[in-house]
Amino acid sequence: MGKYWKVITCIALVVFTTMLVIGCGSNTAKNASTEGKKSEKVNLTLWHYYDGALQQKTMEELAQKFNASQDKITVKMEYAPRAELLKQLTIGLVADKLPDIVILDNPDTPSFAAMGILADVTDKVNAPEIKKDAYYPGPLKSNLYNNKYYGVPLGSNDIALYYNEDMFKAAGITAPPQTWDELQVAAKKLSKDGVYGFAMCDLKNEEGTFQFLPWLISSGGNYDKLDSAESIKAFQFLTTLVNDGSLSKESINWTQADVEKQFATGKAAMMINGPWNVAPVKADAPNLKFSVVKIPKDKVWASCLGGENFSIIKGHHEAEAWEFVKFALSEGNLSAMLDLMGYIPSRKDLAESNQKLKNDPIMSVFVDEMQYAMPRGPHAKWPEYSEAIYTALQESLTSQKTPEQAARDAQVKAEKILKGN
């Protein structure tokens, strides 16, 4: 048994007796009940972790709309913070107390598929009505485990480069950087008088990995070949920005929300961030003139995929649960829901035909970036890979190790993960 599974098993056994937060609310009746009682109304439970008031209201309204649309299935929404939801899913596997449908952060889908919790929906995803080929490759790929689909994208986002137009003008920079070399030159030129030319989140957790992956992908590196020359180049590039004073050493302690504050208060001239921080920048700095462009590239354009997937719990009213998922994914329901929840549609045709996104000079960049947004992994042991990556990044940025040594040590960890140790 690998370390990963040992940890999961221990968590399940220790916390098993305390599981009450959302698990008890789940309808645990299984398919067998529907086979013999098809005339009875089926009650489904959906777990999600949306903590925003508008997001929760949107989910409730979706359930109400579905429930009113037919008389055979009732869906009930249940909320729990993400960490609690993931713990309860793990515990529920042991206790047989699971929902029927769950909304997961995209890198979590393969992990729970590997545990045997999620239903294989490959045939359903391949059905013409789902229009699989209309999806961006990243969101769809995030549902794959062993070449089978264990979910379908709900909505997506990504990250791009924000820049302060007035600071660029004052520094005599006439165009935003498009390459790593241009970014390095511009960041150095903008770094003075307490202002850093560039800011990003290099936190020692998944958030740090999320922000680092575009650099790794752009250089030609990969999460399972961290000691390649291409991967080392990504660690080296960001370390150089710290060493020449263009990126604050404090970035290892900054969340993406902290980075937004640095940018909005004029302490950073450029930042990497997502569309969820457009509104905060405008609120914090109403007079700030800023724009957004794709993340400068080395070899290829790259971004990292954010967003959630629908998954169905294996053996739990799978047919009825799919009816709800299809209802949510129908174009009329999906577009309205995603707009309210601040997502970019995971389907390219819906994203590019959305006039609100198309006419917004900032959001249109995030839509364009979606074609390059890759999922984290996907891999059943992504949390372990992520730990190896963000640890190496911090070791390199703080000069605890050279970029080469940090990358090589991370690869040793990656190889152990592959072997199940």
Side-chain angles (χ1 to χ4, degrees):
M1 178 183 290
K3 179 182 176 181
Y4 178 79
W5 292 105
K6 288 178 180 178
V7 171
I8 292 298
T9 302
C10 289
I11 290 172
L13 292 174
V14 170
V15 192
F16 172 74
T17 55
T18 64
M19 184 200 69
L20 287 173
V21 175
I22 57 178
C24 293
S26 171
N27 172 20
T28 58
K30 295 188 176 181
N31 284 347
S33 64
T34 59
E35 292 173 1
K37 301 177 181 178
K38 290 185 177 178
S39 60
E40 295 183 5
K41 200 166 188 176
V42 176
N43 296 311
L44 304 180
T45 300
L46 184 152
W47 288 1
H48 70 82
Y49 55 85
Y50 295 116
D51 53 7
L54 182 57
Q55 292 173 318
Q56 293 192 356
K57 181 173 181 284
T58 302
M59 294 302 293
E60 288 295 338
E61 289 177 348
L62 175 67
Q64 292 170 11
K65 190 174 181 181
F66 174 74
N67 296 341
S69 70
Q70 41 74 48
D71 60 3
K72 297 180 180 178
I73 307 167
T74 297
V75 171
K76 178 184 178 184
M77 299 287 173
E78 292 191 355
Y79 159 80
R82 180 171 177 265
E84 184 65 26
L85 184 149
L86 298 182
K87 184 171 72 175
Q88 296 300 338
L89 276 180
T90 305
I91 295 168
L93 177 65
V94 179
D96 195 25
K97 291 183 180 297
L98 290 168
D100 304 286
I101 308 166
V102 63
I103 293 175
L104 293 170
D105 192 10
N106 71 82
D108 294 327
T109 303
S111 299
F112 284 100
M115 293 181 200
I117 293 176
L118 307 181
D120 176 357
V121 294
T122 305
D123 291 342
K124 297 178 175 64
V125 172
N126 286 332
E129 61 189 337
I130 298 303
K131 298 181 179 180
K132 186 181 76 172
D133 293 340
Y135 281 85
Y136 288 107
L140 197 61
K141 186 178 178 183
S142 72
N143 289 281
L144 278 174
Y145 172 67
N146 283 346
N147 296 316
K148 294 182 177 179
Y149 292 106
Y150 288 87
V152 60
L154 190 170
S156 302
N157 53 48
D158 52 34
I159 49 179
L161 180 75
Y162 290 60
Y163 69 96
N164 183 314
E165 295 179 5
D166 286 338
M167 286 187 178
F168 267 55
K169 186 176 181 180
I173 302 172
T174 57
Q178 295 193 37
T179 67
W180 285 15
D181 288 343
E182 291 175 0
L183 173 64
Q184 187 172 357
V185 171
K188 182 63 179 174
K189 198 170 184 178
L190 291 159
S191 298
K192 58 183 179 180
D193 302 328
V195 175
Y196 287 95
F198 178 69
M200 63 178 282
C201 163
D202 296 311
L203 211 56
K204 196 174 183 179
N205 62 21
E206 178 67 23
E207 206 171 351
T209 300
F210 178 68
Q211 290 248 322
F212 174 70
L213 283 185
W215 310 97
L216 185 72
I217 296 169
S218 185
S219 67
N222 204 343
Y223 71 93
D224 59 359
K225 294 180 181 176
L226 293 169
D227 61 348
S228 70
E230 292 81 5
S231 296
I232 292 172
K233 186 177 182 181
F235 288 107
Q236 180 66 67
F237 177 70
L238 296 177
T239 302
T240 298
L241 294 183
V242 171
N243 291 342
D244 74 6
S246 300
L247 171 61
S248 172
K249 294 178 179 177
E250 286 301 311
S251 67
I252 62 171
N253 298 314
W254 289 343
T255 65
Q256 293 173 99
D258 295 331
V259 172
E260 182 273 319
K261 299 300 181 191
Q262 294 293 315
F263 182 75
T265 57
K267 295 179 180 176
M270 296 182 280
M271 72 167 178
I272 299 296
N273 229 312
W276 56 87
N277 269 321
V278 172
V281 169
K282 291 181 177 178
D284 291 339
N287 297 320
L288 176 63
K289 294 179 181 178
F290 71 96
S291 294
V292 175
V293 293
K294 293 195 289 288
I295 297 174
K297 69 175 181 178
D298 181 30
K299 293 179 178 176
V300 296
W301 297 112
S303 186
C304 193
L305 178 72
E308 275 67 30
N309 298 326
F310 276 122
S311 286
I312 294 172
I313 303 300
K314 186 177 181 180
H316 282 229
H317 297 303
E318 293 180 22
E320 291 86 355
W322 185 248
E323 288 303 311
F324 172 77
V325 172
K326 281 196 304 181
F327 180 86
L329 295 179
S330 63
E331 292 184 16
N333 292 324
L334 185 64
S335 295
M337 180 173 62
L338 296 185
D339 189 41
L340 288 170
M341 297 178 75
Y343 278 122
I344 295 170
S346 305
R347 272 177 51 181
K348 188 175 181 180
D349 58 333
L350 296 182
E352 293 184 347
S353 64
N354 185 311
Q355 291 303 311
K356 184 177 179 181
L357 294 175
K358 190 175 181 179
N359 295 329
D360 187 320
I362 291 176
M363 288 305 300
S364 61
V365 175
F366 287 107
V367 172
D368 183 41
E369 191 85 302
M370 277 298 299
Q371 63 187 308
Y372 311 111
M374 291 294 107
R376 287 158 275 174
H379 197 283
K381 296 184 178 179
W382 177 253
E384 294 175 66
Y385 277 111
S386 180
E387 182 178 359
I389 292 169
Y390 63 66
T391 299
L393 179 61
Q394 288 229 334
E395 291 172 341
S396 180
L397 295 182
T398 58
S399 297
Q400 295 177 54
K401 297 178 181 176
T402 64
E404 293 84 355
Q405 191 59 54
R408 286 172 184 146
D409 289 350
Q411 181 60 24
V412 171
K413 296 176 183 176
E415 290 172 358
K416 287 183 178 179
I417 295 167
L418 270 179
K419 293 176 182 176
N421 295 320

